[in-house]
Amino acid sequence: MTTQFSKKQTIFLLLTIFAVAINMRPAITSIGPMLDTIRDDLALTNAQVSLLTALPVFCMGLFASLAPVLNRKIGLTWSMLLMLFIIGGMTVLRGFYSTYAALLVSAIMIGIGIAVIGPLLSAMIKQFFPDRATSVIGVYTFGMGVGATLGAGLTAVFFKRTGSYPFALGIWALLVLLGIFFCTISLRGNVRLKQRERPAASGAARISPWKQKKAWLFLVFFGLQASSFFCVITWVVPIATDSGMSLVAASGVLSLMTGIQIVLNLIFPIVYERFPKRKLWLLFFLTMGLISIGLLSTGNWTLMWISAIFMSLPLAGLFPITLLFPLDETDNAEDTNAWTAMMQTGGYIMAGFVPLIIALVYDVTGNHAYTLWIFAALFICMIGLTFLVGEREQRVG
């Protein structure tokens, strides 16, 4: 780990990464348990209500390239604070206005906030923890896992207690206060998040990642794994309730899945540092995902609970590996920011389409068997792509 900071500053930086990351999923995962409730209350189709999870993902792709721009204009610190205020404000909006228009606007703005924060966090890790980036990615993904689990697991509980889905959606704005607090505390004094300058004498012109084949492979893989994550988070509860489970029990299946994911999010990046064979890990996770889909397809409640355990492995393991792709291929925070922004721009645009396709198919067929086939197709495509992505570049420490 870098010796630039004192132990106290390092701890606060890690807490800041966690506190910011925890806000990157609840506004999306909280929609899944409420999908049927919102649809029925507002008299929407499945495709219309699915836009509430698809639009943030689209925006996470369309606006990820804003991260390097805002970083140059106002710096990493102010960029992250601004995006946290946007996420918090739009989540509060959901608590007071339950119209479809308000939910759509909040979905778009929250997606923009997440889009900018993601690449900036990766650049921050590359710059301040260049020798331990793999481990620190674990803090980032752990925070995201905690946020995803809270949103997926407790939203239905809040709804059951209050009878108000706007309250159940809006309560997650409280987490933004945590992110703002730690950003304000840890980024004072000598701890400044500024982009490293490229030495003028190096004479090396930076090649845009958009012109590099490896970056495009990363983009497609990231898109497939993001699609699988958001599809599972959005549709597992409806699949379970369709088999006869209660909403609380179905949310429990999702909570078990994301709860195990939390622990694994912290463990896997540490394991990757000691056993860095990316290809073997990817094949293992993707195989576990296919087994989980097979168990889900049975409609048996016991097997559906067991499937949650299997699915927690790819949900926890795939995302941190894809985050490491740009870190493995780049030498400084500026390039990491650019590669990550590109990967997330195209990847999240891809990921926005798939849950919407599932909703359209379900509107037509009324059968979640097709949903599970789409899940399986995503994992099979990733298995094929694993052999093209290859292993990490050994030149990167």
Side-chain angles (χ1 to χ4, degrees):
M1 184 176 295
T2 179
T3 58
Q4 183 181 354
F5 308 118
S6 67
K7 184 177 180 180
K8 181 179 178 181
Q9 287 174 318
T10 299
I11 291 173
F12 272 108
L13 276 173
L14 293 174
L15 288 173
T16 299
I17 292 168
F18 171 82
V20 172
I22 202 175
N23 287 282
M24 296 178 68
R25 287 296 179 267
I28 299 175
T29 60
S30 61
I31 293 292
M34 296 290 98
L35 211 61
D36 292 341
T37 302
I38 296 171
R39 182 196 62 199
D40 295 341
D41 183 63
L42 299 179
L44 304 173
T45 66
N46 285 292
Q48 287 175 316
V49 75
S50 183
L51 281 175
L52 300 180
T53 54
L55 281 176
V57 181
F58 277 127
C59 291
M60 287 159 64
L62 290 172
F63 295 95
S65 293
L66 276 181
V69 176
L70 286 175
N71 180 47
R72 288 192 296 269
K73 296 291 184 182
I74 61 176
L76 286 170
T77 305
W78 285 107
S79 296
M80 285 199 292
L81 286 173
L82 176 61
M83 295 304 112
L84 285 171
F85 275 111
I86 289 174
I87 292 171
M90 291 297 104
T91 306
V92 168
L93 179 70
R94 292 178 169 182
F96 289 95
Y97 298 96
S98 58
T99 66
Y100 185 53
L103 290 172
L104 287 178
V105 169
S106 67
I108 292 169
M109 296 304 296
I110 287 168
I112 293 173
I114 298 171
V116 173
I117 286 176
L120 293 182
L121 278 179
S122 291
M124 176 179 174
I125 292 169
K126 181 71 174 183
Q127 179 164 322
F128 293 128
F129 303 94
D131 301 324
R132 298 298 303 276
T134 303
S135 298
V136 179
I137 282 290
V139 177
Y140 176 6
T141 55
F142 178 63
M144 290 183 64
V146 170
T149 300
L150 291 175
L154 294 182
T155 300
V157 176
F158 289 139
F159 173 66
K160 189 175 179 64
R161 293 289 179 86
T162 65
S164 169
Y165 73 79
F167 175 86
L169 298 178
I171 190 68
W172 301 111
L174 292 176
L175 292 178
V176 172
L177 299 178
L178 187 68
I180 292 172
F181 171 78
F182 277 105
C183 275
T184 305
I185 294 297
S186 68
L187 304 182
R188 297 185 305 175
N190 294 326
V191 182
R192 299 166 61 196
L193 302 180
K194 288 189 175 180
Q195 205 164 260
R196 288 185 176 180
E197 296 293 334
R198 185 180 300 276
S202 67
R206 184 165 69 96
I207 301 174
S208 170
W210 293 95
K211 298 179 180 179
Q212 301 193 51
K213 178 182 176 181
K214 200 67 171 287
W216 280 98
L217 291 174
F218 293 168
L219 184 157
V220 175
F221 194 99
F222 184 88
L224 291 171
Q225 73 80 26
S227 297
S228 65
F229 175 85
F230 289 111
C231 285
V232 169
I233 292 297
T234 301
W235 289 103
V236 158
V237 171
I239 289 171
T241 55
D242 196 52
S243 72
M245 275 191 181
S246 68
L247 176 61
V248 173
S251 296
V253 172
L254 182 58
S255 296
L256 175 63
M257 189 182 297
T258 54
I260 298 173
Q261 177 196 349
I262 287 179
V263 179
L264 298 180
N265 276 149
L266 199 57
I267 294 173
F268 280 151
I270 298 173
V271 176
Y272 297 156
E273 199 166 64
R274 296 195 62 183
F275 305 98
K277 295 294 183 181
R278 308 279 193 243
K279 190 183 297 183
L280 291 177
W281 283 112
L282 290 173
L283 292 174
F284 170 71
F285 293 137
L286 295 169
T287 301
M288 294 301 102
L290 287 174
I291 293 173
S292 174
I293 293 166
L295 294 174
L296 274 175
S297 68
T298 65
N300 180 284
W301 293 1
T302 301
L303 294 180
M304 293 180 86
W305 282 97
I306 296 173
S307 76
I309 299 173
F310 280 92
M311 187 59 77
S312 68
L313 293 168
L315 290 187
L318 292 177
F319 183 71
I321 287 185
T322 58
L323 284 182
L324 290 172
F325 286 165
L327 273 68
D328 288 344
E329 293 288 328
T330 57
D331 298 313
N332 57 72
E334 182 180 6
D335 286 343
T336 300
N337 199 6
W339 278 63
T340 305
M342 175 198 165
M343 183 176 74
Q344 295 189 5
T345 294
Y348 280 132
I349 289 174
M350 287 176 57
F353 278 105
V354 183
L356 188 57
I357 291 171
I358 289 175
L360 291 170
V361 171
Y362 186 65
D363 274 335
V364 173
T365 66
N367 190 338
H368 275 306
Y370 295 98
T371 303
L372 293 169
W373 277 111
I374 294 173
F375 285 6
L378 292 172
F379 280 86
I380 291 169
C381 288
M382 280 188 280
I383 288 174
L385 197 59
T386 294
F387 294 96
L388 297 177
V389 170
E391 296 290 352
R392 65 186 295 184
E393 292 288 335
Q394 296 302 319
R395 61 181 176 80
V396 180

